[in-house]
Structures are given as structure tokens and as C-alpha cells.
Amino acid sequence: MYVSDQKTTNTLAVLILVIGPWLGVSMQVWGWMLDILLLIALLWVGRSVGRQGLRYGLVFLISGYGLALLFGGASSFHYFSFVPWAALVTLWGILANVPQRALVFWSLVAAGILGVLPTLAMLMQGIPQESIQSFVQNMMEQYRQAGMLESLKTQGISELELQSLFEQIVNTLIMLTPGLVAITALAKWGAVYYAFLRWIRISGREYRPFTEWRLPWYAIWGMNFAIVSYLLGDQFQWLAIKSIGINLMLVYGVVAFVLGSALFVALLQKPWLSGFFRFVLLFSSVLYIQVTAIVLIIMGLLDLVLDFRHMPIRKKEDSD
């Protein structure tokens, strides 16, 4: 009997969904690659089956995680990544004919929340202070062996000051860990969805070039919530609320930077912009990259509400 490439690919996708989580847990290799493979497999099953794609994808995904729990026990939760489940939101949006920008936004929200859940569980248990001190002491020892500690002492920086600085850096990284994990989750889903639209195609979904990337206007409320959370947490010393605000601002900063870059490239392609002016803008943006990053973030946030690409441009009327 002839086996088509389509059937072979479908079977491979189902095997990845069912066996992938168990392999990731048993071999302790759950990481970027497995998350991306599960996302690809889930979207492929949904694309191939059609209207029943969401149901089949959910069944296979539950079977895969259930198999991992069955053979690995409750300890499997320590290795689980729930980012692939965000593809279920994507499949639902496709079946419900949700507009493209709204589909992308809510899928990103799902990916970020699901991706950060294991990290939040770990942080809620607390990180032992001994582990932080051990890490700081290792950094101090590396500086001491490299001779950098003596060099810093000659500049008026004492060993206690350097140790305090390292502790602040480590604590800041721990506080920003949820945001950094959420950004990686967004990147995983975004890369897979972009690849499907660009090369594999999804029925009813049109590929849009980078210059047209944009989220729905109501996405700005997430940034508003982040700012309010940070201000309230800072005012009343609510550390948890303040951390939520900081991490949300970090995530929105990265997303807004990407959207601002798309807008910047779109503006550079405008026919009324001279080649010399394009060169000046590009050269200045590279020369002052820190200022450029801030400007692109602001542009990305404002574009959510103002939509600069479709903003009408009034032409000067010729004087009589």
C-alpha cells in the first residue's frame, strides 16, 4: 500500500505529541528544541485535520503529558514546559476566524503565561539565600583569580562594595526571571507561527511581511496595567505587585521594540523619503543605538493606538 508524504508527516507529528513529553522527562532534555517540535507538531495536526484539529490536538497533547506523568511520576512536573499548549489557543482562533492581529496577541499572551508558570512555582518556593551567597562567592573568586579584584581596589572599590554589587545584580536577575522566561516563550511561539505562515501556510491565514507587523489597539492596556502595578507596588512597598509591573514592562519593552522596528523599516520604504535621508536615519540609528532602542519602543507602543502606517498625510496646497 502506498504511503503518502502527508500521511507520514501526520504520523510523525502525532508521535512527537504523544512520545515527546515522555522523552523530554525521561532523558531530562526538555528545552527549546522540544518546545518548538511540539508547537510545530500541534499546529501541523490542526492544519491537516481541519475543523477537528483543535480536538485532535488537545487529545494527543493530553496523552503525551499523561504518558510522561504515568512513567515519570509527579516529579515530571519539574521538567514540564507548557508553552506548546499556547498552540491550542492559536488553533481555536483559526477555527473561530479571529482576526490575525487578535489571534497573534492572544496566542502570545497564552504563550507568555504558560511559559512562566513553572518559573513562578519555583520562585514561590523561594531561592535559598545560601545558593545566592555561594554564587556570589564563586564570582568573587573568579575576579580574584583573574587579578581583577586587585585592579578594582586600586580604583577605590572595596571587596565588600563589589560583593554587595554582585548580590544586587543576582537579586535583580532573579526578580526579572519571569519576564525573561516569558520573552523566550513568546519567541518560541512567534518563530513557529511565522514559519508556518511563511513556508507551510495555514488555510485562511495570510502571510504578512515584517513591515506590516502590528498588534490590536487594546494590547496597550497591558502596558498600562504594568505601569500602574509598578507605581502602586513602589508606593505601598508591595514587592509582588511591583515585580509584576517590572516584568510586564520588560516583556512589553521587547515586544514594542520589535513592533517599532517593523514600523521604522516601513517608514524607510516610503517613496517620498530620499535615499540620502534614509542613509542619515540608518547611520544615526546605529551610531546612537541606545537612543534608537528607546525611540523604537515608544514608536511601537504609540503605533498600537495611532497606527502611523495609515495615518493620513496632508499635502500642501499650491498657493494661487
Side-chain angles (χ1 to χ4, degrees):
M1 182 178 66
Y2 174 73
V3 179
S4 65
D5 293 339
Q6 181 71 22
K7 291 182 179 179
T8 303
T9 310
N10 291 345
T11 303
L12 179 61
V14 171
L15 286 175
I16 291 174
L17 290 175
V18 175
I19 301 178
W22 170 68
L23 290 176
V25 169
S26 61
M27 301 178 66
Q28 299 182 10
V29 293
W30 203 316
W32 268 74
M33 187 58 66
L34 183 55
D35 273 346
I36 290 176
L37 284 176
L38 289 171
L39 282 168
I40 293 174
L42 191 53
L43 287 180
W44 184 273
V45 169
R47 170 184 177 273
S48 302
V49 179
R51 301 297 300 179
Q52 300 298 322
L54 179 60
R55 181 182 302 176
Y56 278 95
L58 180 60
V59 169
F60 292 138
L61 201 58
I62 291 176
S63 301
Y65 279 74
L67 189 66
L69 280 174
L70 180 64
F71 288 99
S75 60
S76 301
F77 277 107
H78 297 293
Y79 303 99
F80 278 173
S81 170
F82 297 99
V83 175
W85 292 75
L88 295 175
V89 177
T90 310
L91 292 177
W92 170 83
I94 293 173
L95 293 175
N97 292 321
V98 174
Q100 179 77 338
R101 290 171 181 169
L103 172 66
V104 171
F105 173 71
W106 291 113
S107 296
L108 288 175
V109 170
I113 293 175
L114 292 170
V116 83
L117 283 179
T119 303
L120 288 179
M122 180 189 68
L123 291 177
M124 288 177 64
Q125 295 177 357
I127 298 178
Q129 191 65 28
E130 295 79 9
S131 300
I132 298 177
Q133 290 296 328
S134 177
F135 183 77
V136 171
Q137 290 301 324
N138 288 335
M139 294 178 66
M140 293 290 294
E141 188 62 28
Q142 291 178 7
Y143 268 64
R144 188 176 291 108
Q145 293 177 359
M148 298 177 64
L149 196 57
E150 295 298 327
S151 176
L152 290 173
K153 286 181 179 180
T154 60
Q155 300 177 21
I157 302 176
S158 66
E159 187 171 337
L160 288 177
E161 289 175 338
L162 184 61
Q163 182 174 342
S164 176
L165 176 62
F166 284 156
E167 289 177 355
Q168 291 177 13
I169 293 174
V170 172
N171 288 324
T172 300
L173 288 176
I174 292 174
M175 183 177 62
L176 294 178
T177 297
L180 296 173
V181 172
I183 290 171
T184 60
L186 266 58
K188 293 173 188 177
W189 180 89
V192 172
Y193 188 68
Y194 174 82
F196 262 80
L197 291 184
R198 183 68 177 86
W199 292 290
I200 302 176
R201 307 295 185 185
I202 297 178
S203 178
R205 297 290 151 175
E206 180 184 359
Y207 164 75
R208 293 182 179 275
F210 178 66
T211 53
E212 296 183 16
W213 286 13
R214 189 170 176 266
L215 293 178
W217 67 268
Y218 50 79
I220 194 65
W221 283 103
M223 188 60 172
N224 296 337
F225 176 76
I227 295 173
V228 171
S229 298
Y230 172 78
L231 293 176
L232 286 177
D234 187 61
Q235 177 68 28
F236 297 102
Q237 297 301 309
W238 297 336
L239 183 58
I241 303 299
K242 182 179 178 180
S243 299
I244 291 174
I246 292 175
N247 282 280
L248 269 177
M249 285 192 287
L250 175 62
V251 174
Y252 259 86
V254 174
V255 173
F257 177 80
V258 174
L259 298 177
S261 300
L263 176 60
F264 181 64
V265 175
L267 293 176
L268 288 177
Q269 295 180 356
K270 294 296 183 181
W272 42 265
L273 202 63
S274 66
F276 175 75
F277 194 55
R278 287 193 186 97
F279 171 78
V280 171
L281 282 176
L282 287 172
F283 182 77
S284 301
S285 63
V286 175
L287 186 63
Y288 303 102
I289 186 65
Q290 294 179 339
V291 177
T292 301
I294 297 174
V295 171
L296 290 179
I297 291 173
I298 295 174
M299 288 173 57
L301 291 173
L302 291 178
D303 186 53
L304 292 174
V305 180
L306 300 178
D307 194 2
F308 292 113
R309 295 176 184 84
H310 298 93
M311 185 175 292
I313 300 176
R314 296 181 179 179
K315 298 181 180 180
K316 291 184 179 180
E317 297 180 359
D318 296 334
S319 57
D320 295 334

